[in-house]
Amino acid sequence: MCCCGSCLTATVSPPDLDFNELSPGKQPPPLEKESQTASCFLTAIVNQKERETDSELQFLSSVLLRCSRMGVLMVQRVLLAVALLLIFALTLFVGLWFGLTADDATPPAECVRCFVRFNPTLGQCDEELGEVDEDDCCQNPQYGYQAADGVCHSCGPPLWSPWSPWSQCNVLCGDGVMQRTRKCYGAGECENATDALQIQPCSGSCCDGCVRCFAQFNPTLGQCDEELGEVDEDDCCQNPQYGYQAADGVCRSCGPPLWSPWSPWSQCNVLCGDGVMQRTRKCYGAGECENAADALQIQPCSGSCCDAQGWGLWLAWSSCSVTCGGGGVRRRERVCSGPPECRSACSGPSEETETCPTHSTCPVHGVWSSWSCWSQCSGSCINDQSDDVIVPSRKRHRSCSKPAPSSDTVPPGNRCPGDDVQVQDCSELPNCPGETMSKSGWSSWGECSSSCIPQGHTPVRTRYGSCSNPAPSSSPPGRHCEGVDRQTETCDHLPHCPVDGVWGSWSSFSSCPVTCGVGLQESIRLCDSPAPKHGGRSCTGERRQTNICTTNVHCPVDGMWSQWSEWNPCTHPYSGKSINCQQIGGKQTRERECLHRAHNGSICSGDALTESRVCYDVNRCYVKGTWEGWESWSLCSPTCGEKSRRFRRRYCKPDYSSYRSTIRGFPAAFFGTPQADCGLPPDGGKKVEVQPCVNAPSCP
């Protein structure tokens, strides 16, 4: 055997020629035989290999030029030989190179999670078999696999998923588009590969301004609840129980105007001395509430925090939140002394933070890569004839490289715990032919076909018998061993494989749940195809999807009673004449209205639009009276500014002892404000007291 051109140079000894000295103007030495022609080209090859600088094209051109007188036929033959020689040398070089570097350059193949089924509608895998090589898994085109990215892929030929539902219109008002998509699953490219997205025109229906519509409005908190979605404000407010949120983020009621309850009284607006506290209420609904200006009330108060000490001293700084790297912070706190009502004496933050740089780089601890697939077994059968049974083995590898531990930090990063190689006996192999059987006559049981019991399948394992203890003779012919030479059994002792949950199909949308206004249809899906079992992962994503339905029918608006009017004057019950300052029983009435009823809503509960009572008209009538202490203080008025005041009066109780207490059997009421004469106040004081409301809020 000879390698490359060594045997050629041994067969033909070319003369010493310096082709560097040859040029088109010089004549080559005379050559008399074809061997000399071959020598010309072989010498050129040798010189070319020594220089290793000229390209193959330059080299061939040089040969043609320098050996042009050797004869056309001979040149063609030699050129063919040279070309074959170069191809052979290049192929050998590449093969040797990849052979030397294959172990270092080729990373071990990583296994994939193999599944029995792939659902092209949902793009999901089902019924996991275990981890195998991707090529092994995809020998069945019905299977699917999940690689390290967690995405499920189909093993089958390329196939489009069904089209998704059409999206909502991409504009709220005017002309827009809606779209739907599909995905290509499988190995290769689907037909019409660019046809994965379709769009069609649509018109936005919220030209008057869409709002976020809610099924409930809480007038106590002024909050919306149970969002339905974005619809036109008029459509949302076809139901007076609903609320909506416009672009300003404020929640509003769709119902008639209604006052919220009064808020609790605020704390005193001064820490020490005279101040005011206040309470507010809000009007919700479409329109204006009765007494629209009565949304704020204030009353005097006295601050009780005259001895408040405010903030205490700052506590010590905490330790830095990190010990290496950057981004660390440390904190310190201070405490506000005094009761809760005095907390306003402490202005500013209760906590301070600042960055705390460190002077070392954090170590990077090593993390193992995924295991490679198992290698082939080191042998094809089990040798149990010798004293030591030789069982072939297989290996798989992993590397501490995701990431690798740092070596340039103090301290260095931790190495990955455990081994980077796993070795497993190939005990499922049969005994080698011609060798004696094991004691039982059977090989050891092989590995189970799966490391766990997948849903719907039971793994099995196999062992083999060899008719070799002794083997049947050939002359004279002996009988072959009776029975089977292969046994299988189920691996019932294994744990069940985790079964990840897979969503079932979406149900049809429910019918519209309302007969007026807008409602919310829903479609649900269950995590039952299959349901998660044996520690498998639950389904991710939404269980419920909704769609707004519009009836274009306004809901009934029930009536609401207005406040009672003031009592009408007390007059004679029959003639209607004035009975002022007379001890004659009269009658008076007051009214209310059933407001806001619309769209066939219910009338106000109760049928009393008017209320009446028996009375005496004592308005501005002179009567004797007795002092009965002070009336309650009024609220501050106006509710802002330096002129805010409140007042109270001494109560002069009129003496109605000369009047009958009942009129026609009903308790009598005294209408109006009499001019009661109680004389001078018992202590000589004032009849009316006025008090300024100090520190009232400034008027806007």
Side-chain angles (χ1 to χ4, degrees):
M1 292 292 294
C2 58
C3 296
C4 302
S6 59
C7 58
L8 293 177
T9 54
T11 304
V12 180
S13 300
D16 294 332
L17 297 177
D18 187 0
F19 277 78
N20 293 322
E21 296 177 358
L22 295 180
S23 64
K26 291 187 177 183
Q27 297 294 327
L31 297 175
E32 298 178 355
K33 298 180 181 180
E34 292 182 357
S35 62
Q36 293 175 323
T37 306
S39 298
C40 175
F41 284 94
L42 289 175
T43 305
I45 293 171
V46 171
N47 290 339
Q48 170 69 12
K49 289 301 180 180
E50 289 176 353
R51 293 194 302 273
E52 291 293 337
T53 55
D54 295 339
S55 66
E56 284 77 6
L57 183 60
Q58 293 173 327
F59 167 56
L60 292 176
S61 300
S62 175
V63 170
L64 285 173
L65 175 65
R66 297 170 184 176
C67 302
S68 59
R69 299 210 175 181
M70 298 296 176
V72 174
L73 181 60
M74 182 57 64
V75 168
Q76 290 176 343
R77 292 176 180 176
V78 174
L79 282 177
L80 178 60
V82 170
L84 292 174
L85 181 63
L86 288 175
I87 293 173
F88 177 80
L90 180 62
T91 304
L92 181 62
F93 175 79
V94 171
L96 290 173
W97 171 259
F98 279 100
L100 292 173
T101 60
D103 292 339
D104 297 330
T106 304
E110 292 190 0
C111 291
V112 296
R113 296 174 61 190
C114 190
F115 295 81
V116 172
R117 288 204 304 262
F118 176 81
N119 186 328
T121 301
L122 303 175
Q124 293 178 342
C125 294
D126 189 20
E127 293 189 25
E128 183 172 358
L129 293 176
E131 288 193 349
V132 297
D133 185 80
E134 179 184 334
D135 292 337
D136 292 338
C137 180
C138 284
Q139 289 177 353
N140 190 325
Q142 305 299 321
Y143 284 9
Y145 66 92
Q146 195 176 85
D149 58 5
V151 177
C152 194
H153 304 271
S154 169
C155 287
L159 179 69
W160 284 112
S161 71
W163 285 104
S164 67
W166 286 104
S167 67
Q168 293 184 348
C169 200
N170 67 340
V171 295
L172 295 176
C173 176
D175 295 331
V177 294
M178 58 178 65
Q179 65 180 32
R180 65 178 183 174
T181 59
R182 62 178 180 174
K183 292 184 178 180
C184 179
Y185 295 111
E189 191 174 80
C190 293
E191 292 187 67
N192 303 319
T194 58
D195 188 20
L197 170 67
Q198 290 182 344
I199 63 173
Q200 67 178 14
C202 59
S203 295
S205 59
C206 296
C207 295
D208 294 333
C210 273
V211 296
R212 295 174 61 190
C213 189
F214 295 81
Q216 288 184 357
F217 176 81
N218 186 327
T220 301
L221 302 175
Q223 293 178 346
C224 293
D225 193 18
E226 295 186 21
E227 183 171 1
L228 300 176
E230 286 193 351
V231 296
D232 186 82
E233 180 182 336
D234 291 339
D235 289 337
C236 181
C237 285
Q238 287 178 348
N239 191 325
Q241 306 299 321
Y242 284 8
Y244 66 91
Q245 196 176 84
D248 58 5
V250 177
C251 192
R252 295 175 173 83
S253 169
C254 287
L258 179 70
W259 282 113
S260 71
W262 284 104
S263 69
W265 286 103
S266 68
Q267 291 185 354
C268 199
N269 67 342
V270 295
L271 293 172
C272 181
D274 295 330
V276 294
M277 58 178 65
Q278 64 182 29
R279 65 177 183 176
T280 59
R281 63 177 180 174
K282 292 184 178 180
C283 179
Y284 295 112
E288 191 174 79
C289 293
E290 295 184 71
N291 302 319
D294 190 19
L296 171 66
Q297 292 180 345
I298 65 173
Q299 66 180 12
C301 60
S302 295
S304 59
C305 301
C306 297
D307 298 328
Q309 298 178 359
W311 289 112
L313 298 176
W314 284 103
L315 302 178
W317 286 103
S318 68
S319 58
C320 194
S321 60
V322 297
T323 58
C324 59
V329 294
R330 63 175 186 169
R331 294 176 172 82
R332 66 174 182 175
E333 298 177 344
R334 56 180 177 176
V335 179
C336 184
S337 59
E341 62 269 17
C342 301
R343 292 292 169 85
S344 58
C346 302
S347 60
S350 62
E351 181 182 86
E352 280 186 344
T353 61
E354 69 176 12
T355 58
C356 45
T358 58
H359 304 289
S360 61
T361 303
C362 293
V364 177
H365 301 306
V367 177
W368 287 116
S369 67
S370 300
W371 285 105
S372 67
C373 290
W374 288 104
S375 67
Q376 296 292 326
C377 293
S378 58
S380 59
C381 58
I382 299 174
N383 184 353
D384 62 349
Q385 189 169 1
S386 61
D387 293 337
D388 296 328
V389 178
I390 302 174
V391 181
S393 62
R394 52 186 165 224
K395 296 180 180 181
R396 65 176 181 176
H397 302 263
R398 60 179 178 176
S399 61
C400 188
S401 59
K402 292 193 173 182
S406 59
S407 59
D408 56 350
T409 58
V410 180
N414 296 335
R415 295 185 56 81
C416 301
D419 298 324
D420 61 351
V421 178
Q422 278 187 346
V423 180
Q424 184 182 68
D425 287 341
C426 299
S427 56
E428 74 276 12
L429 296 176
N431 290 334
C432 296
E435 297 172 352
T436 58
M437 296 289 291
S438 60
K439 184 177 181 181
S440 64
W442 292 92
S443 68
S444 301
W445 284 106
E447 292 291 323
C448 292
S449 57
S450 176
S451 59
C452 56
I453 303 176
Q455 190 174 21
H457 302 274
T458 302
V460 295
R461 61 180 181 175
T462 306
R463 68 176 181 174
Y464 298 88
S466 176
C467 189
S468 58
N469 192 15
S473 61
S474 58
S475 180
R479 288 180 300 175
H480 200 274
C481 300
E482 297 180 356
V484 297
D485 61 354
R486 181 172 179 257
Q487 288 183 341
T488 61
E489 70 173 9
T490 58
C491 299
D492 298 321
H493 62 283
L494 296 175
H496 286 276
C497 297
V499 178
D500 293 340
V502 177
W503 287 115
S505 300
W506 286 104
S507 68
S508 300
F509 276 100
S510 61
S511 58
C512 197
V514 297
T515 57
C516 62
V518 296
L520 201 63
Q521 299 171 291
E522 72 172 6
S523 171
I524 62 172
R525 58 179 178 172
L526 302 178
C527 187
D528 61 355
S529 297
K533 296 179 183 177
H534 313 302
R537 293 174 294 186
S538 296
C539 299
T540 58
E542 296 296 330
R543 175 184 175 274
R544 172 177 174 264
Q545 61 182 3
T546 59
N547 181 52
I548 294 179
C549 53
T550 304
T551 64
N552 294 318
V553 176
H554 203 294
C555 295
V557 181
D558 298 333
M560 297 175 57
W561 286 117
S562 67
Q563 295 181 356
W564 285 104
S565 66
E566 297 292 334
W567 285 104
N568 297 318
C570 183
T571 59
H572 194 277
Y574 305 115
S575 64
K577 293 182 179 180
S578 174
I579 55 173
N580 182 247
C581 299
Q582 303 177 43
Q583 294 186 5
I584 299 175
K587 180 183 178 181
Q588 64 181 161
T589 59
R590 62 178 181 175
E591 298 83 25
R592 62 178 177 175
E593 296 180 81
C594 185
L595 304 175
H596 312 304
R597 179 174 177 268
H599 304 287
N600 202 31
S602 301
I603 62 174
C604 300
S605 59
D607 54 2
L609 291 173
T610 62
E611 189 176 53
S612 62
R613 67 180 181 180
V614 293
C615 56
Y616 295 107
D617 186 359
V618 295
N619 190 42
R620 304 184 66 82
C621 299
Y622 178 82
V623 293
K624 287 288 187 178
T626 56
W627 293 111
E628 290 285 343
W630 292 95
E631 296 176 349
S632 299
W633 283 103
S634 69
L635 294 171
C636 296
S637 181
T639 56
C640 62
E642 296 179 353
K643 295 182 179 180
S644 182
R645 301 285 187 272
R646 69 172 181 169
F647 66 91
R648 67 175 181 173
R649 294 186 177 90
R650 287 184 185 271
Y651 179 52
C652 178
K653 183 179 180 180
D655 181 8
Y656 296 131
S657 59
S658 59
Y659 290 81
R660 288 179 297 171
S661 60
T662 61
I663 302 173
R664 294 185 295 279
F666 295 97
F670 294 91
F671 173 71
T673 303
Q675 292 182 348
D677 183 8
C678 292
L680 295 173
D683 54 1
K686 299 178 180 179
K687 294 182 180 180
V688 178
E689 280 188 346
V690 178
Q691 185 182 67
C693 295
V694 182
N695 290 317
S698 300
C699 294

